[in-house]
Amino acid sequence: MRQVRLAKDAMDRDWADPDLDLGAVAAHAGYSRYHFIRAFKEAYGETPGQYLTHRRIERAEDLLRTANLSVTEICHLVGFSSVGTFSTRFKAWTGLTPSEYRTKHVGRGAALIPGCYAMLWAGGFRPPPGSGTGPGSGKQRNSGEAG
């Protein structure tokens, strides 16, 4: 049970990683994929895939209510790689499409957070791989105006 709990903690920590897959989580627990699915479902009442989807949708609900981001941006921030899959699973879980959910819930509370701040906070602004603008690349991101 301890290994399953540690794997669940890893899913809770890395839920937004689109590359998070069953094989990696099962290996973290030291189980085969199929044994891990059975053990996780016995412990938590749902499969690891269902659990991860629900975590991502809960986060998407929060962003739809609070951030001025497009559905596509939110889809990718919460770890889905396909807007169609995201929308289908979101509707199955909430009964509403992401756009319907936003329409229903925006305006109940504080103003929306500007998208640029939400993206920065969520880590959405990352240099593309191989861009040479990361730490240690020797290249600067600005044009050097600040001297």
Side-chain angles (χ1 to χ4, degrees):
M1 182 61 185
R2 182 175 185 275
Q3 292 92 340
V4 173
R5 189 173 39 246
L6 290 173
K8 180 181 174 285
D9 290 345
M11 289 171 60
D12 287 338
R13 181 184 58 244
D14 299 329
W15 58 266
D17 182 357
D19 296 326
L20 185 64
D21 68 349
L22 180 60
V25 177
H28 194 277
Y31 290 170
S32 73
R33 294 168 49 110
Y34 303 106
H35 182 65
F36 178 68
I37 291 170
R38 286 190 299 273
F40 192 95
K41 187 167 185 172
E42 184 178 317
Y44 296 106
E46 59 186 348
T47 67
Q50 291 167 332
Y51 177 78
L52 185 58
T53 296
H54 295 161
R55 290 279 296 149
R56 289 173 171 170
I57 290 172
E58 287 170 356
R59 185 64 183 128
E61 287 176 310
D62 185 45
L63 289 170
L64 286 164
R65 284 191 309 269
T66 61
N68 189 16
L69 296 168
S70 72
V71 171
T72 301
E73 290 169 324
I74 291 171
C75 163
H76 294 294
L77 280 175
V78 299
F80 284 93
S81 56
S82 163
V83 176
T85 300
F86 168 65
S87 296
T88 299
R89 293 201 177 143
F90 190 94
K91 185 169 184 173
W93 179 253
T94 65
L96 301 168
T97 67
S99 298
E100 291 168 344
Y101 185 89
R102 172 176 274 159
T103 300
K104 181 177 180 181
H105 292 285
V106 167
R108 296 182 174 189
L112 291 177
I113 299 167
C116 57
Y117 288 113
M119 290 286 284
L120 184 64
W121 176 80
F125 294 123
R126 295 183 188 109
S131 67
T133 58
S137 68
K139 293 184 182 178
Q140 293 186 0
R141 293 184 64 127
N142 64 19
S143 59
E145 308 90 7

